[in-house]
């Protein structure tokens, strides 16, 4: 039987109950995963203005050099190949001028991938593209592979790009999965090429590792550690450390146990950014999250939950993509579609209904400040060639003005029916939301 979720009226009732509690000026209520069911989660703010100097100036450019001058041109070539492959896919299907829904219907697009079709059509409109000739597409594919080599992606990653772009109709129909291409034969060489073995990732992972090492931490939590690409760089930069490696997938945990068996101090646990994130652990000096928080259903709620895992003065080190390149829309976005049986599909924050995955650079800065972080810094700096990649390392320190939410939970339990009592309440400095999407 399908699970019955709390209605919008139910969530509105929870919000009003929370906003009636002492010290709460505003509340936002959403649903999170709770095993096979859903649970209520809430963020509350006291309504005071954000503290001054929550965001500090970006550091001087230091990631450039080392061949990064090629990054803008190479990414432009790779994006052009992707958008031409999209145009070719639609044109050969006779769909080049139809509406998004007509195109999705004609392609036989799986319901969970229809947002990607809409992104494809938006990309074609933004580039003002005519249908490409086969010769033009073949040339673009050669340029993509040349750019891939300049950026240091391994040959396996080149094959992945080429196969994905030639398989767009099958991918969008769910006849094949992107996971089968990215983890071909159950191996991780291709995925590591994407997250570690290329010029851009090497610089970003090094910057993240230096930020972690600068804290001289005793305890590190890595969230969504995946193939361990950033883990490698951090472990090379720090000495003895208590390191909790987490991911939503047991597959990645098992691989990490084998890979890092020689390294003392590593522990492993399952952790889902879209479920309750309470850990039976002492607070951490550093929380590292590389290329994972865009998967959070509600960025503000997840940032607030992470803040509660940090010790006073602890630091969050966040690596995130902030630009939705055409090549991503024709490849990695297939990993980001909701599961066909997803209990809570889609985003519940400012991205809701917008056919996008990534928050922008300025949006992450605002989300961090609102969630209760201070001294937010971002690199690469504007003007650095690496900025063309649209990937950034954010560092931020846990703020200290937040009361414990436990009393709010107990008071909410007195005011609400038992099935609507929030599973968690997070106190934040401010709420960022579009009221049109909120209960």
């Amino acid at each position: 039987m399908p699970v019955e979720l709390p209605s919008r009226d139910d969530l509105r009732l929870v919000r009003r109950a929370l906003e009636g509690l002492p010290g709460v000026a505003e509340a936002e209520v959403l649903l999170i995963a709770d095993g096979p069911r859903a649970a209520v989660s809430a963020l509350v703010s006291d309504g005071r203005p954000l503290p001054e100097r929550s965001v500090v100036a970006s550091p001087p450019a230091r990631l450039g050099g080392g061949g990064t001058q090629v990054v803008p041109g190479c990414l432009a070539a790779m994006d052009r190949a992707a958008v031409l492959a999209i145009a070719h896919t639609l044109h050969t299907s006779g769909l080049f001028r139809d509406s998004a829904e007509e195109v999705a219907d004609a392609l036989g697009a799986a319901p969970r991938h229809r947002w990607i079709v809409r992104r494809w059509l938006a990309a074609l409109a933004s580039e003002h593209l005519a249908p490409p000739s086969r010769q033009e597409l073949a040339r673009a594919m050669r340029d993509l592979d040349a750019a891939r080599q300049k950026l240091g992606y391994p040959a396996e990653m080149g094959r992945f790009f080429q196969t994905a772009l030639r398989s767009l109709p099958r991918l969008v129909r769910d006849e094949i999965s992107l996971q089968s291409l990215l983890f071909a034969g159950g191996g991780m060489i291709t995925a590591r090429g994407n997250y570690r073995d290329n010029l851009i990732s090497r610089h970003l992972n090094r910057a993240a590792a230096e930020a972690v090492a600068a804290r001289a931490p005793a305890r590190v939590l890595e969230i969504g550690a995946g193939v361990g690409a950033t883990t490698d760089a951090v472990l090379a930069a720090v000495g003895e450390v208590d390191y909790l490696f987490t991911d939503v997938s047991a597959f990645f945990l098992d691989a990490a146990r084998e890979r890092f068996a020689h390294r003392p101090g590593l522990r492993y646990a399952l952790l889902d950014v879209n479920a309750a994130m309470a850990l039976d652990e002492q607070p951490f000096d550093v929380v590292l999250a590389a290329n994972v928080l865009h998967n959070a259903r509600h960025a503000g709620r997840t940032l607030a939950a992470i803040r509660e895992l940090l010790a006073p003065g602890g630091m969050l080190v966040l690596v995130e993509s902030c630009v939705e390149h055409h090549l991503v829309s024709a490849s990695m976005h297939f990993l980001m579609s909701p599961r066909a049986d997803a209990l809570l599909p889609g985003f519940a924050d400012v991205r809701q209904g917008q056919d996008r995955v990534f928050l922008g650079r300025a949006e992450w800065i605002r989300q961090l400040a609102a969630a209760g972080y201070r001294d937010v810094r971002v690199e690469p700096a504007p003007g650095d060639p690496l900025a063309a990649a649209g990937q950034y390392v954010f560092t931020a320190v846990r703020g200290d003005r937040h009361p414990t939410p436990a009393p709010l939970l107990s008071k909410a339990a007195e005011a609400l029916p038992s099935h609507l009592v929030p599973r968690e309440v997070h106190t934040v400095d401010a709420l960022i939301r579009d009221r049109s999407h909120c209960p």
Side-chain angles (χ1 to χ4, degrees):
M1 294 181 60
V3 176
E4 184 175 346
L5 301 176
S7 68
R8 288 179 64 86
D9 286 342
D10 289 334
L11 299 184
R12 192 176 294 114
L13 174 64
V14 177
R15 176 171 61 81
R16 289 174 177 168
L18 290 170
E19 290 179 344
L21 298 179
V24 177
E26 289 187 292
E28 184 172 5
V29 181
L30 62 145
L31 296 175
I32 60 169
D34 190 25
R37 305 185 65 84
V40 176
S41 175
L43 292 85
V44 299
S45 168
D46 60 14
R48 288 183 291 168
L50 285 173
E52 294 184 7
R53 299 176 61 194
S54 293
V55 181
V56 298
S58 297
R62 68 184 183 90
L63 289 186
T68 59
Q69 292 80 4
V70 304
V71 169
C74 287
L75 291 178
M78 297 170 84
D79 265 355
R80 178 162 178 77
V83 77
L84 287 177
I86 291 168
H88 176 74
T89 295
L90 299 186
H91 178 59
T92 55
S93 302
L95 306 171
F96 203 76
R97 297 185 180 276
D98 295 324
S99 71
E101 287 308 305
E102 289 172 327
V103 170
D105 287 343
L107 282 173
R112 72 192 192 101
H113 292 321
R114 286 183 171 236
W115 71 280
I116 296 178
V117 176
R118 293 192 292 270
R119 286 205 61 82
W120 289 353
L121 293 176
L124 296 181
S126 70
E127 298 289 346
H128 306 290
L129 276 180
S133 67
R134 290 186 179 276
Q135 293 80 4
E136 186 180 11
L137 179 59
R139 184 168 57 251
M141 288 291 199
R142 290 193 296 271
D143 291 343
L144 181 152
D145 201 58
R148 183 272 304 171
Q149 293 180 59
K150 288 181 182 178
L151 291 177
Y153 287 99
E156 292 84 358
M157 198 66 196
R159 287 192 288 272
F160 165 78
F161 287 141
Q162 299 273 344
T163 304
L165 295 182
R166 292 189 172 100
S167 304
L168 294 179
R170 297 180 66 202
L171 285 166
V172 82
R173 290 195 292 265
D174 256 351
E175 292 174 356
I176 59 172
S177 70
L178 198 81
Q179 289 92 333
S180 69
L181 306 181
L182 191 60
F183 300 98
M188 295 192 183
I189 294 175
T190 304
R192 286 179 184 143
N194 188 57
Y195 295 112
R196 185 190 68 181
D197 299 328
N198 64 81
L199 181 66
I200 298 166
S201 293
R202 283 198 301 272
H203 281 273
L204 294 171
N205 288 336
R206 188 188 73 231
E210 290 174 356
V212 174
R215 304 292 291 184
R219 291 173 54 77
V220 176
L221 165 65
E222 184 173 2
I223 296 174
V227 300
T230 310
T231 316
D232 275 333
V234 171
L235 294 179
V238 300
E240 186 173 340
V241 65
D242 178 1
Y243 199 107
L244 183 58
F245 181 111
T246 72
D247 198 87
V248 70
S249 167
F251 170 77
F252 290 125
L253 298 187
D254 291 341
R257 285 188 183 96
E258 180 178 347
R259 184 172 174 200
F260 299 117
H262 67 285
R263 179 78 191 217
L266 261 72
R267 298 177 293 118
Y268 304 89
L270 290 168
L271 188 66
D272 183 354
V273 298
N274 290 310
M277 294 176 63
L279 291 168
D280 187 17
E281 294 274 347
Q282 294 297 310
F284 294 90
D285 301 296
V286 176
V287 172
L288 170 65
N291 299 302
V292 64
L293 291 198
H294 56 262
N295 294 308
R297 187 164 185 263
H298 190 286
R301 174 255 160 199
T302 300
L303 288 172
I306 291 172
R307 192 199 68 233
E308 292 165 12
L309 299 174
L310 283 165
M315 174 177 281
L316 169 63
V317 179
L318 172 66
V319 183
E320 270 299 328
S321 294
C322 297
V323 175
E324 309 217 15
H325 290 286
H326 299 323
L327 185 57
V328 174
S329 291
S331 56
M332 302 302 285
H333 269 163
F334 285 100
L335 294 178
M336 302 168 194
S337 291
R339 295 194 322 271
D341 61 348
L343 182 66
L344 301 170
F347 296 110
D349 58 15
V350 295
R351 296 166 290 174
Q352 187 173 20
Q354 295 187 31
D355 293 332
R356 65 175 175 133
V357 172
F358 303 134
L359 292 162
R361 178 183 183 276
E363 287 180 308
W364 275 116
I365 292 172
R366 188 178 177 216
Q367 291 280 350
L368 286 163
Y373 295 84
R374 58 180 174 81
D375 297 341
V376 180
R377 299 176 183 271
V378 192
E379 54 183 324
D384 189 310
L386 276 178
Q391 292 179 273
Y392 295 91
V393 179
F394 300 82
T395 60
V397 176
R398 171 189 153 169
D400 56 7
R401 84 176 198 176
H402 301 278
T404 173
L408 292 175
L409 271 173
S410 63
K411 291 182 181 297
E414 297 172 4
L416 289 165
S418 59
H419 70 288
L420 293 181
V421 175
R423 176 80 161 77
E424 57 181 27
V425 173
H426 303 289
T427 54
V428 296
D429 285 357
L431 299 176
I432 301 175
R433 61 185 179 183
D434 177 351
R435 272 284 188 184
S436 67
H437 294 312
C438 295

Short mmCIF file of all heavy atoms in Angstrom, two decimals, residues 268-296:
data_model
loop_
_atom_site.label_atom_id
_atom_site.label_comp_id
_atom_site.label_asym_id
_atom_site.label_seq_id
_atom_site.Cartn_x
_atom_site.Cartn_y
_atom_site.Cartn_z
N TYR A 268 33.69 4.04 9.70
CA TYR A 268 32.76 4.08 8.58
C TYR A 268 31.33 3.99 9.10
O TYR A 268 31.04 3.28 10.07
CB TYR A 268 33.04 2.92 7.61
CG TYR A 268 34.47 2.92 7.12
CD1 TYR A 268 35.47 2.23 7.82
CD2 TYR A 268 34.83 3.63 5.99
CE1 TYR A 268 36.78 2.24 7.39
CE2 TYR A 268 36.15 3.66 5.56
CZ TYR A 268 37.12 2.97 6.26
OH TYR A 268 38.43 3.01 5.85
N ALA A 269 30.41 4.73 8.42
CA ALA A 269 29.00 4.69 8.83
C ALA A 269 28.13 5.14 7.67
O ALA A 269 28.55 5.94 6.83
CB ALA A 269 28.76 5.59 10.04
N LEU A 270 26.91 4.62 7.64
CA LEU A 270 25.91 5.09 6.69
C LEU A 270 25.33 6.41 7.18
O LEU A 270 25.06 6.58 8.38
CB LEU A 270 24.79 4.07 6.55
CG LEU A 270 25.14 2.76 5.83
CD1 LEU A 270 24.01 1.75 6.02
CD2 LEU A 270 25.39 3.00 4.35
N LEU A 271 25.14 7.35 6.26
CA LEU A 271 24.54 8.64 6.61
C LEU A 271 23.85 9.19 5.37
O LEU A 271 24.42 9.23 4.29
CB LEU A 271 25.61 9.62 7.10
CG LEU A 271 25.08 10.95 7.67
CD1 LEU A 271 24.30 10.70 8.96
CD2 LEU A 271 26.23 11.92 7.93
N ASP A 272 22.61 9.62 5.56
CA ASP A 272 21.79 10.14 4.46
C ASP A 272 21.46 11.60 4.75
O ASP A 272 20.85 11.91 5.78
CB ASP A 272 20.50 9.31 4.37
CG ASP A 272 19.60 9.73 3.22
OD1 ASP A 272 19.89 10.73 2.54
OD2 ASP A 272 18.58 9.04 3.00
N VAL A 273 21.87 12.51 3.84
CA VAL A 273 21.62 13.94 4.09
C VAL A 273 20.14 14.27 4.02
O VAL A 273 19.73 15.35 4.45
CB VAL A 273 22.39 14.83 3.08
CG1 VAL A 273 23.89 14.63 3.23
CG2 VAL A 273 21.94 14.58 1.65
N ASN A 274 19.31 13.35 3.51
CA ASN A 274 17.88 13.60 3.42
C ASN A 274 17.08 12.88 4.49
O ASN A 274 15.86 12.79 4.41
CB ASN A 274 17.37 13.21 2.03
CG ASN A 274 17.87 14.18 0.97
OD1 ASN A 274 17.75 15.39 1.13
ND2 ASN A 274 18.46 13.66 -0.09
N ALA A 275 17.77 12.37 5.49
CA ALA A 275 17.13 11.76 6.65
C ALA A 275 17.64 12.46 7.91
O ALA A 275 18.45 13.38 7.83
CB ALA A 275 17.43 10.26 6.69
N ALA A 276 17.16 12.03 9.06
CA ALA A 276 17.68 12.58 10.31
C ALA A 276 19.18 12.29 10.38
O ALA A 276 19.61 11.17 10.12
CB ALA A 276 16.95 11.98 11.49
N MET A 277 19.98 13.30 10.73
CA MET A 277 21.43 13.17 10.67
C MET A 277 22.08 13.12 12.04
O MET A 277 23.28 13.35 12.18
CB MET A 277 22.03 14.32 9.85
CG MET A 277 21.64 14.27 8.39
SD MET A 277 22.26 15.68 7.44
CE MET A 277 24.02 15.43 7.60
N ALA A 278 21.31 12.83 13.07
CA ALA A 278 21.89 12.71 14.40
C ALA A 278 22.82 11.50 14.44
O ALA A 278 22.47 10.41 13.97
CB ALA A 278 20.78 12.56 15.44
N LEU A 279 24.01 11.69 14.98
CA LEU A 279 24.99 10.62 15.11
C LEU A 279 25.32 10.42 16.58
O LEU A 279 25.38 11.39 17.35
CB LEU A 279 26.28 10.96 14.35
CG LEU A 279 26.20 10.99 12.82
CD1 LEU A 279 27.45 11.62 12.24
CD2 LEU A 279 26.01 9.58 12.28
N ASP A 280 25.54 9.19 16.97
CA ASP A 280 25.95 8.90 18.35
C ASP A 280 27.45 9.13 18.46
O ASP A 280 28.25 8.20 18.60
CB ASP A 280 25.58 7.45 18.71
CG ASP A 280 25.84 7.15 20.17
OD1 ASP A 280 25.98 8.11 20.96
OD2 ASP A 280 25.93 5.95 20.51
N GLU A 281 27.83 10.40 18.35
CA GLU A 281 29.23 10.80 18.28
C GLU A 281 29.44 12.08 19.05
O GLU A 281 28.53 12.90 19.20
CB GLU A 281 29.64 11.04 16.81
CG GLU A 281 29.62 9.82 15.92
CD GLU A 281 30.93 9.04 15.99
OE1 GLU A 281 31.91 9.60 16.53
OE2 GLU A 281 30.96 7.90 15.50
N GLN A 282 30.67 12.28 19.50
CA GLN A 282 31.06 13.58 20.02
C GLN A 282 31.13 14.56 18.86
O GLN A 282 31.30 14.18 17.71
CB GLN A 282 32.41 13.48 20.72
CG GLN A 282 32.41 12.62 21.97
CD GLN A 282 31.49 13.18 23.04
OE1 GLN A 282 31.55 14.37 23.37
NE2 GLN A 282 30.63 12.33 23.58
N PRO A 283 31.01 15.87 19.15
CA PRO A 283 31.06 16.85 18.05
C PRO A 283 32.38 16.77 17.29
O PRO A 283 33.41 16.36 17.82
CB PRO A 283 30.92 18.19 18.78
CG PRO A 283 30.23 17.87 20.06
CD PRO A 283 30.74 16.51 20.45
N PHE A 284 32.32 17.19 16.02
CA PHE A 284 33.47 17.12 15.13
C PHE A 284 34.13 18.49 15.00
O PHE A 284 33.47 19.53 15.04
CB PHE A 284 33.05 16.60 13.77
CG PHE A 284 32.58 15.17 13.78
CD1 PHE A 284 31.24 14.87 14.00
CD2 PHE A 284 33.48 14.13 13.60
CE1 PHE A 284 30.80 13.56 14.04
CE2 PHE A 284 33.06 12.81 13.64
CZ PHE A 284 31.71 12.52 13.86
N ASP A 285 35.44 18.47 14.80
CA ASP A 285 36.17 19.72 14.57
C ASP A 285 35.96 20.22 13.14
O ASP A 285 35.95 21.43 12.89
CB ASP A 285 37.66 19.50 14.82
CG ASP A 285 37.94 19.04 16.24
OD1 ASP A 285 37.66 19.82 17.17
OD2 ASP A 285 38.40 17.90 16.41
N VAL A 286 35.84 19.28 12.21
CA VAL A 286 35.63 19.62 10.79
C VAL A 286 34.60 18.67 10.22
O VAL A 286 34.65 17.46 10.48
CB VAL A 286 36.94 19.52 9.97
CG1 VAL A 286 36.66 19.77 8.49
CG2 VAL A 286 37.99 20.49 10.48
N VAL A 287 33.67 19.21 9.44
CA VAL A 287 32.79 18.40 8.60
C VAL A 287 33.12 18.74 7.16
O VAL A 287 33.14 19.91 6.77
CB VAL A 287 31.30 18.66 8.90
CG1 VAL A 287 30.43 17.94 7.87
CG2 VAL A 287 30.93 18.21 10.30
N LEU A 288 33.40 17.71 6.37
CA LEU A 288 33.74 17.85 4.96
C LEU A 288 32.62 17.24 4.13
O LEU A 288 32.18 16.13 4.39
CB LEU A 288 35.06 17.11 4.68
CG LEU A 288 35.49 16.92 3.23
CD1 LEU A 288 35.78 18.25 2.56
CD2 LEU A 288 36.71 15.99 3.16
N ALA A 289 32.17 18.00 3.13
CA ALA A 289 31.11 17.51 2.24
C ALA A 289 31.49 17.94 0.83
O ALA A 289 31.35 19.11 0.47
CB ALA A 289 29.76 18.07 2.63
N ALA A 290 31.97 17.01 0.02
CA ALA A 290 32.45 17.31 -1.33
C ALA A 290 31.50 16.71 -2.37
O ALA A 290 31.30 15.49 -2.40
CB ALA A 290 33.86 16.78 -1.54
N ASN A 291 30.91 17.56 -3.17
CA ASN A 291 30.05 17.13 -4.28
C ASN A 291 28.90 16.25 -3.81
O ASN A 291 28.57 15.25 -4.45
CB ASN A 291 30.89 16.38 -5.33
CG ASN A 291 31.98 17.25 -5.92
OD1 ASN A 291 31.72 18.30 -6.48
ND2 ASN A 291 33.23 16.82 -5.75
N VAL A 292 28.28 16.65 -2.71
CA VAL A 292 27.16 15.85 -2.21
C VAL A 292 25.96 16.69 -1.78
O VAL A 292 24.82 16.26 -1.94
CB VAL A 292 27.60 14.95 -1.03
CG1 VAL A 292 28.04 15.76 0.17
CG2 VAL A 292 26.50 13.98 -0.64
N LEU A 293 26.16 17.90 -1.27
CA LEU A 293 25.03 18.61 -0.66
C LEU A 293 24.03 19.13 -1.68
O LEU A 293 22.92 19.51 -1.31
CB LEU A 293 25.53 19.76 0.23
CG LEU A 293 26.23 19.33 1.52
CD1 LEU A 293 26.28 20.50 2.50
CD2 LEU A 293 25.59 18.12 2.17
N HIS A 294 24.39 19.15 -2.98
CA HIS A 294 23.36 19.48 -3.98
C HIS A 294 22.27 18.41 -4.00
O HIS A 294 21.18 18.65 -4.52
CB HIS A 294 23.97 19.64 -5.37
CG HIS A 294 24.74 18.46 -5.84
ND1 HIS A 294 26.11 18.38 -5.74
CD2 HIS A 294 24.34 17.29 -6.40
CE1 HIS A 294 26.52 17.22 -6.22
NE2 HIS A 294 25.47 16.54 -6.63
N ASN A 295 22.57 17.23 -3.45
CA ASN A 295 21.56 16.17 -3.35
C ASN A 295 20.59 16.38 -2.19
O ASN A 295 19.60 15.64 -2.08
CB ASN A 295 22.23 14.81 -3.19
CG ASN A 295 23.03 14.39 -4.41
OD1 ASN A 295 22.52 14.41 -5.52
ND2 ASN A 295 24.29 14.05 -4.21
N ALA A 296 20.88 17.33 -1.32
CA ALA A 296 20.00 17.58 -0.19
C ALA A 296 18.65 18.10 -0.67
O ALA A 296 18.58 19.01 -1.50
CB ALA A 296 20.63 18.59 0.77
#
